Amino acid sequence: MLPSWIACRVRRFCYPHLRKRTGDNGAQSVKCGRPQGISVSYRNMVAKARYFTIKGRGMKLKTLSSKIWMPTDLREAWRLRQLLQLESHFIAGGTLWQTKWEKGAPQPSHLISLENIKILEAIYEKEDGGQNFLHLGALIRLADCLRYPIIKAKWPLLTKAVKTIAAPAVRNVGTIGGNVASTIGDAIPALLVMEAKIGCFDGDDIKKIDLDHWLNEEFKDDLITEIVVPEISAPPSYVHFYQKIGRREAFSGSVVTIAGIIGQNDNGTIDFARLAAGGGENRPRRLRITEQLLAGRKVESAMLKKVHEAVFSEFQPVGDAFFSADYRRRVAANIVIAELKKLEEKD
């Protein structure tokens, strides 16, 4: 684990020895080690690759040999992305990229930091068409999702999911937009069953896309601006659950991550079911076949067996050196059955 003085600088992309430098276009006003904005000429700050030793530990870390661009609005960020293409990446908290680089992933030539785009830090509730929605700007820190009382009260499933992501120091830096943009983030299964949408800027306008659709399509060039989560309108008798199974209790990568919302009517019949599963390097997906199987049924032994078989068949993860695909499928099916039994006991 990195010393606290380094961890607190993760937001600065782990460049504790970054010095003020300018590009070829002349001097740029810099305060606290970063430009106050960039002009149309795309001035930049250069992170020179160097090594440094942590005193008393003998540990060597390598900084990135990347140009860091600091746009101040969406259009400027978009123009940069179009100009630099595949040599660039959008970046916010940087926690996901940090872990990838530590594992030997290639470093990009350009990083387009979004931290100066203030519109991405908005968080508010809004009613639309008689339904209440939570709007989370892409730069909202994961820790903020735990601090807002309104999220705990009306979107508790999101709170449950965020609590399982990494450690507090990482949640203080990592963003909800980055977690979604990774396509494998631990918050995604919960957002899927809440039928969240994401706002994407395409160079001209911000369009709303169902998260489920976005995960199944390729929107590589789109800039995520916000996550929009409707308030759950489930029957009074319902359970919502979120389970992350890892190799250890905390600060661990996911083996299986599963979320669900299941509700019954007064007759004990299930009339509301949403399930999603992911984990590891697998993109989370809605388990729609299993959802259809649950609809209109009562929780009983024969039904539970069919549901277990349905989850095992529908969830198709990829295994790795530690856990096979079959193991992940079996764990996911067992979690769904356990939660259904809770609903049966509640009834």
Side-chain angles (χ1 to χ4, degrees), residues 18-19 21-23 44-48 64-68:
L18 190 63
R19 297 291 184 258
R21 295 183 182 270
T22 61
N44 59 76
M45 195 161 90
V46 182
K48 295 295 185 181
L64 295 177
S65 179
S66 302
K67 291 183 179 180
I68 305 172

Side-chain angles (χ1 to χ4, degrees), residues 35-86:
Q36 296 305 295
I38 63 173
S39 66
V40 178
S41 62
Y42 304 123
R43 292 174 181 172
N44 59 76
M45 195 161 90
V46 182
K48 295 295 185 181
R50 68 182 67 190
Y51 284 88
F52 63 93
T53 301
I54 300 173
K55 186 176 181 181
R57 292 180 180 264
M59 184 192 302
K60 288 186 176 181
L61 298 178
K62 185 179 179 181
T63 59
L64 295 177
S65 179
S66 302
K67 291 183 179 180
I68 305 172
W69 302 81
M70 309 288 287
T72 56
D73 61 54
L74 291 175
R75 292 188 182 279
E76 198 166 22
W78 177 263
R79 288 196 298 268
L80 279 167
R81 177 62 171 161
Q82 300 309 301
L83 176 70
L84 302 171
Q85 293 294 323
L86 297 179

